[in-house]
Amino acid sequence: MDITLPTDVNNQVVPTGYNALGKARIITCERGKVRLATDAENVEVTALAPDLFRVALFAHGRAITYDSEAVLAREWDGEAARISGTEEDGVVSLSTSFATAHISLNPLRIGFSDVSGRTFAVDDPDLGMGWLKGNEQAALIDIPNPLGTLGTPLRVYKQHAADEHYFGCGERTAGLDKTGSHQIFWNVDPPRGHTALQNNLYVSIPFTLVVGGGKAWGFFLDSPAFSEFDLADEDACRSWFGTASGDLVYYLFCGPTPRDVLARYTELTGYTPLPPLWSLGNGQSRFGYETADEVLRIARSFREHDIPCDTLYLDIDYMDGYRDFTWDRSRFPDPEGMLVELRALGFHTVGIIDAGVKVDENYWLYREGRDRDLYCKTTEGSDYQNAVWPGLCVFPDFMNAETRSWWGGQHQTLLDTGIAGIWCDMNEPALFIPLNSTMPPGVIHAVNGKVKYHLQVHNAYGSLMSQATREGLLRLRPEQRPFVISRSGYAGIQRHALLWTGDNSSTWEHLAMSIAQLQNLGLSGVGWAGVDIGGFYGDTNGELLTRWIEWGIFQPFCRNHAEKLTRHQEPWVFGEPYTSLCRTMLKFRQQLIPYLYTLFEQCHRTGAPLLRPLFWSHPEDSSAYTVDDEVLCGDVLLIAPITKPGIEYRYVYLPAGTWFHFWSGERLEGPAHILAHAPLGQPALYIQANVALPLGSPMSYVGAEKTDFLTLLLYPAQGSAISYLYEDAGDGYEQIQGVYARRTIICEVVEPTTIRVTLGVREGTFTPERKYLRLELRELLTVPASVMLGEKQLAWQYYPELRSIVIEVDEGSEEQVIQLAFH
Ligand code: GLC
């Protein structure tokens, strides 16, 4: 179909110094790519896949190149795209089986449509793509020839349709819907407080998922330099996307569902690796566990209090003077012994590593990096220095492949000592002079024999440190899945590390903010993420901690962490009733691991985040767009956390479908706004009808009493649903050879008198270690007359308090159909 694109430029609306592209000539049209030239610019529009286009503007004769820290190098099969139209027509179209890029030539403007007739991402008629005069970037680092080296600031203006809403944008402050906001992409270690006024934190992912009219599209600006999205803020009729230096390269995802957009985005930038299973359990951390004795005391306290915890985090206190890859032997005299003891208690231990390397002639790491010339440089050629935790530091040039490989190798000693995973911190990089600053724009990086200024690559520094770490762990311990957590990152970070959202505060506001923050991260490709539960800065209290844990147990990464000198916030410190409530919730987290692992595998394979906004499966439901104080964990569970003190009731929006209140079993029909009663310990939690929730043992450490079955919890209701269970060895890579087990579970209420549960054929060669599957069907109004597996009668038990039937099924790998008949 054709869409009308404008032909004239109205200078009245052009921002000062902005030069919109003028008339374009066609240079070549081939293999899914249209190359164009205007006066001083080259533009390429490429169809990479039926629902994926790339548009690039190389101004002032800059070379055409798509080098990227985010996008995986690969060949896309764009040849199937059809190119029609000629220079005389004034319009060229590039069509795939699903979508068309409409390129109008005078002036050059680009818009998109799909086979359903929807138009989207249409260039603003007046402004389109263009560049801004002004050499601010060059002036910052005082270099000549800014056009050639750095390029000018570049932008693309798109029309904004009134019903469009913007989500994603990576790690953000404030709410879920970013419409009407101006987003900055520049990684910083922000001052304490994380407020809506400063929306950029430690991570930059210049990607937005746009939802409107029941359909989605996505926009990714591939630039690790300072970038901005103006999302219908300056002008309600248009949005702009810009980078301060380099080239304007953007990827346009045509959807049409949020799931489709995320699938392509992660195919482009990389999938989240499968985590080691141990890392899904509860974790405990604190800046200020200062001695081995204290760490061991904390570990034992978890066991004494019967509170699940699988991972302990060692903050910088373990190091000798905050020197990376060292131990303070006065406070941690026998690290190996401590880690063996922790393992025996059932803990994995993760150690922090900071980006800054202490300047110290007696420190082997410092000397080695300096002698091999692996640190970031000043323009004068000396190693750039600034202060971080250890005092004066130098900074590994992670842009340089040689540095990455050297850094990765350093982890050997930590692994030999028994460390299970690595926590990369201060990698924006964060500097203390002045406080909360980052590297000056003129610092020099060596990239494949070329030089780059820091301002050109700033946002990628944290990702590259994470990449160095992950690749190092993979080389050193190839049989195990690396566990790497990072504070900073750029688009694509999900393939190197999971993210935590840095130094939040122990406030109700930050509990509330975390709900939208993790959803937007998930919508930006980072499905594996979490916030510091209980809050980092400031003192928490029993109620805040318990409420935070009530929702924190659904976070893909579940860890309690706090700052030095704050009140301790381990789950038992506030006494009763909090200790018992935290214990119950954290045991529930452990039980959820088979479900979470199933979701992780989906995320790994398809890019679907674990935490999903309510509109994920209902993009046509515009009431869901504004709900940023609720979240879906997979498709099964809806969590509506309490975000204020002293409150037991809150409004909840339930999207379409039949839902059951998890604690009372009350049945509710969505879409509906309801008032939920959520006393402490019973968060507003709803489960979808007919969908199986796999639940494992509440405790997983060695010596703990474990169940020898897996429960599939179901709430049958009229209709049917399909759900999944994925299992494998939980570590290593045998699943790639097919050693995994995946099966579908279909639950249908076929007529009022029959419930049928079909366990599909088990795919893969992995045999789960357990005695049986336990089907638990809740909220049944009567007891069944019979429960049959084919011709065979199955035994069952009825539990009147939950109105539930429990059936034990001997698991096979073939299809099993269990039929419950009622009178
Ligand atoms: C940074 C980290 C925080 C850590 C502290 C000390 O502030 O964000 O998690 O505890 O440094 O290492």
Side-chain angles (χ1 to χ4, degrees):
M1 68 154 288
D2 273 349
I3 51 176
T4 317
L5 288 163
T7 52
D8 65 294
V9 174
N10 172 358
N11 282 317
Q12 309 234 308
V13 291
V14 176
T16 319
Y18 182 74
N19 298 270
L21 297 190
K23 183 173 177 187
R25 307 185 309 281
I26 299 175
I27 305 297
T28 53
C29 279
E30 56 187 12
R31 298 164 66 90
K33 181 182 288 181
V34 179
R35 183 173 286 180
L36 307 135
T38 60
D39 281 350
E41 299 89 12
N42 288 311
V43 171
E44 277 194 356
V45 185
T46 312
L48 298 176
D51 55 351
L52 176 62
F53 292 88
R54 180 180 62 203
V55 179
L57 163 61
F58 304 96
H60 307 106
R62 286 166 61 87
I64 295 177
T65 154
Y66 294 102
D67 290 349
S68 168
E69 305 309 331
V71 172
L72 294 169
R74 59 161 279 181
E75 289 297 316
W76 292 84
D77 183 18
E79 287 174 54
R82 223 169 3 92
I83 301 176
S84 55
T86 60
E87 214 156 282
E88 291 70 54
D89 301 332
V91 181
V92 181
S93 336
L94 182 58
S95 298
T96 68
S97 54
F98 181 70
T100 298
H102 304 263
I103 306 160
S104 106
L105 300 176
N106 188 17
L108 180 59
R109 300 289 183 266
I110 301 165
F112 299 84
S113 68
D114 70 15
V115 285
S116 75
R118 167 180 65 135
T119 62
F120 52 96
V122 178
D123 278 3
D124 180 85
D126 300 313
L127 301 177
M129 281 196 286
W131 52 279
L132 278 149
K133 276 204 200 92
N135 296 336
E136 298 88 348
Q137 294 287 304
L140 275 176
I141 55 175
D142 195 22
I143 60 161
N145 185 23
L147 296 186
T149 309
L150 301 176
T152 55
L154 300 165
R155 284 185 189 175
V156 55
Y157 285 82
K158 296 277 180 196
Q159 293 178 18
H160 169 71
D163 65 349
E164 280 175 336
H165 293 257
Y166 300 87
F167 302 97
C169 300
E171 180 189 62
R172 301 283 104 185
T173 56
L176 185 66
D177 185 351
K178 298 303 179 197
T179 314
S181 76
H182 188 93
Q183 299 294 327
I184 301 286
F185 298 91
W186 186 250
N187 292 348
V188 288
D189 175 13
R192 64 176 68 194
H194 297 186
T195 70
L197 278 181
Q198 181 173 359
N199 56 47
N200 57 314
L201 301 175
Y202 316 83
V203 174
S204 288
I205 306 179
F207 169 79
T208 178
L209 173 80
V210 191
V211 186
K215 291 192 172 163
W217 56 278
F219 182 100
F220 169 47
L221 174 69
D222 189 9
S223 169
F226 181 90
S227 302
E228 292 164 275
F229 284 6
D230 190 276
L231 304 171
D233 183 35
E234 281 177 13
D235 184 328
C237 296
R238 65 181 174 223
S239 294
W240 63 261
F241 309 85
T243 175
S245 83
D247 309 306
L248 185 87
V249 177
Y250 73 84
Y251 294 81
L252 208 286
F253 306 85
C254 305
T257 67
R259 206 179 279 275
D260 296 329
V261 174
L262 260 292
R264 263 310 175 214
Y265 172 76
T266 36
E267 190 183 355
L268 186 77
T269 60
Y271 290 100
T272 302
L274 262 184
L277 194 61
W278 58 262
S279 69
L280 303 197
N282 179 39
Q284 181 64 42
S285 179
R286 179 174 175 85
F287 179 17
Y289 289 149
E290 290 190 345
T291 61
D293 286 347
E294 190 177 1
V295 172
L296 286 165
R297 198 169 58 243
I298 293 290
R300 286 189 207 106
S301 295
F302 271 99
R303 299 304 176 239
E304 281 153 19
H305 286 97
D306 185 34
I307 296 178
C309 185
D310 290 352
T311 312
L312 284 177
Y313 291 79
L314 297 180
D315 206 321
I316 51 175
D317 312 272
Y318 80 89
M319 299 178 188
D320 172 18
Y322 303 146
R323 290 170 186 82
D324 286 330
F325 310 110
T326 66
W327 290 86
D328 181 330
R329 296 280 170 170
S330 63
R331 290 182 290 118
F332 291 82
D334 175 19
E336 293 86 354
M338 178 188 77
L339 293 170
V340 166
E341 209 170 328
L342 288 173
R343 255 334 267 129
L345 285 165
F347 290 91
H348 285 81
T349 307
V350 174
I352 198 168
I353 290 292
D354 282 355
V357 172
K358 188 176 176 66
V359 175
D360 173 1
E361 281 301 330
N362 299 319
Y363 177 25
W364 91 95
L365 185 76
Y366 167 68
R367 286 198 314 268
E368 218 178 278
R370 183 199 54 197
D371 297 347
R372 292 178 58 177
D373 219 8
L374 299 175
Y375 299 129
C376 301
K377 295 261 181 286
T378 65
T379 32
E380 284 78 41
S382 54
D383 291 338
Y384 172 75
Q385 300 187 347
N386 200 311
V388 208
W389 296 116
L392 203 58
C393 286
V394 287
F395 300 85
D397 183 2
F398 291 115
M399 295 297 299
N400 180 347
E402 199 188 327
T403 309
R404 289 202 296 275
S405 142
W406 168 72
W407 188 260
Q410 300 304 323
H411 294 84
Q412 179 80 62
T413 50
L414 286 179
L415 298 189
D416 290 348
T417 314
I419 285 289
I422 300 297
W423 169 13
C424 302
D425 193 21
M426 308 301 277
N427 50 349
E428 295 69 30
L431 309 176
F432 286 180
I433 307 176
L435 204 58
N436 298 113
S437 64
T438 189
M439 241 178 212
V443 166
I444 290 190
H445 299 274
V447 191
N448 302 331
K450 288 194 213 123
V451 156
K452 280 206 176 174
Y453 291 102
H454 185 67
L455 68 84
Q456 297 175 279
V457 294
H458 169 72
N459 288 337
Y461 189 84
S463 274
L464 291 160
M465 178 183 180
S466 309
Q467 180 182 346
T469 308
R470 183 178 161 79
E471 288 174 356
L473 298 188
L474 266 176
R475 270 198 315 275
L476 297 171
R477 213 170 45 183
E479 71 291 352
Q480 290 182 34
R481 299 177 192 166
F483 178 78
V484 182
I485 157 169
S486 174
R487 189 169 76 171
S488 184
Y490 174 57
I493 177 68
Q494 71 273 6
R495 60 182 198 265
H496 309 306
L498 75 105
L499 290 178
W500 101 103
T501 61
D503 301 344
N504 63 355
S505 307
S506 301
T507 62
W508 290 93
E509 288 81 357
H510 275 194
L511 187 169
M513 184 175 76
S514 65
I515 306 166
Q517 193 171 40
L518 292 180
Q519 290 179 68
N520 274 328
L521 261 176
L523 294 178
S524 310
V526 184
W528 193 5
V531 309
D532 283 348
I533 293 173
F536 180 74
Y537 285 127
D539 291 337
T540 192
N541 59 56
E543 186 188 2
L544 179 56
L545 179 70
T546 308
R547 288 300 196 192
W548 214 319
I549 288 179
E550 281 178 5
W551 122 248
I553 59 168
F554 300 99
Q555 289 180 189
F557 173 62
C558 174
R559 182 187 72 160
N560 178 326
H561 180 50
E563 199 209 7
K564 231 180 187 116
L565 302 181
T566 59
R567 189 187 283 161
H568 269 258
Q569 60 186 46
E570 293 79 19
W572 57 83
V573 294
F574 298 102
E576 292 302 338
Y578 308 111
T579 306
S580 297
L581 298 176
C582 292
R583 176 188 301 116
T584 307
M585 284 297 135
L586 290 168
K587 284 191 175 182
F588 188 36
R589 161 71 179 201
Q590 299 300 128
Q591 286 195 277
L592 284 169
I593 287 177
Y595 176 56
L596 294 170
Y597 196 59
T598 299
L599 292 178
F600 264 108
E601 193 274 335
Q602 279 173 23
C603 178
H604 163 68
R605 192 164 35 88
T606 72
L610 285 85
L611 294 176
R612 302 168 185 174
L614 267 52
F615 65 76
W616 178 257
S617 300
H618 298 282
E620 70 294 340
D621 178 2
S622 55
S623 308
Y625 300 170
T626 49
V627 182
D628 64 2
D629 57 353
E630 299 176 31
V631 56
L632 289 167
C633 179
D635 288 333
V636 175
L637 296 171
L638 186 150
I639 304 114
I642 293 282
T643 60
K644 289 197 169 68
I647 300 275
E648 284 200 358
Y649 290 87
R650 59 155 292 171
Y651 283 99
V652 173
Y653 178 66
L654 291 176
T658 302
W659 298 88
F660 288 85
H661 183 246
F662 194 74
W663 311 107
S664 69
E666 185 189 358
R667 180 184 166 143
L668 298 142
E669 295 298 330
H673 287 93
I674 58 161
L675 183 64
H677 184 210
L680 206 60
Q682 290 196 353
L685 175 63
Y686 301 86
I687 178 162
Q688 260 201 17
N690 298 326
V691 185
L693 179 68
L695 294 173
S697 294
M699 297 298 270
S700 54
Y701 64 90
V702 185
E705 205 181 304
K706 278 189 230 164
T707 50
D708 48 10
F709 54 82
L710 182 111
T711 298
L712 292 177
L713 186 62
L714 285 151
Y715 288 75
Q718 202 60 42
S720 74
I722 181 163
S723 40
Y724 304 89
L725 174 64
Y726 174 85
E727 296 163 286
D728 62 21
D731 206 340
Y733 293 92
E734 278 191 0
Q735 75 282 355
I736 296 171
Q737 268 76 52
V739 190
Y740 64 88
R742 184 190 293 120
R743 78 190 315 172
T744 55
I745 302 128
I746 297 173
C747 176
E748 30 189 350
V749 177
V750 254
E751 26 189 279
T753 54
T754 310
I755 297 173
R756 193 182 299 140
V757 180
T758 307
L759 305 172
V761 174
R762 196 164 69 200
E763 182 187 314
T765 58
F766 180 73
T767 311
E769 246 181 69
R770 61 174 157 258
K771 290 213 177 108
Y772 60 97
L773 261 186
R774 182 175 171 276
L775 285 188
E776 182 175 343
L777 286 75
R778 285 199 184 158
E779 292 310 318
L780 301 182
L781 300 179
T782 53
V783 295
S786 68
V787 178
M788 306 291 290
L789 174 67
E791 299 296 302
K792 200 171 121 203
Q793 278 270 12
L794 291 182
W796 50 271
Q797 271 187 303
Y798 183 68
Y799 295 89
E801 33 338 327
L802 292 168
R803 294 162 294 283
S804 68
I805 295 285
V806 172
I807 308 159
E808 291 178 9
V809 181
D810 284 337
E811 226 171 323
S813 52
E814 343 53 62
E815 182 180 88
Q816 285 164 297
V817 183
I818 297 117
Q819 190 139 317
L820 286 77
F822 297 82
H823 287 303

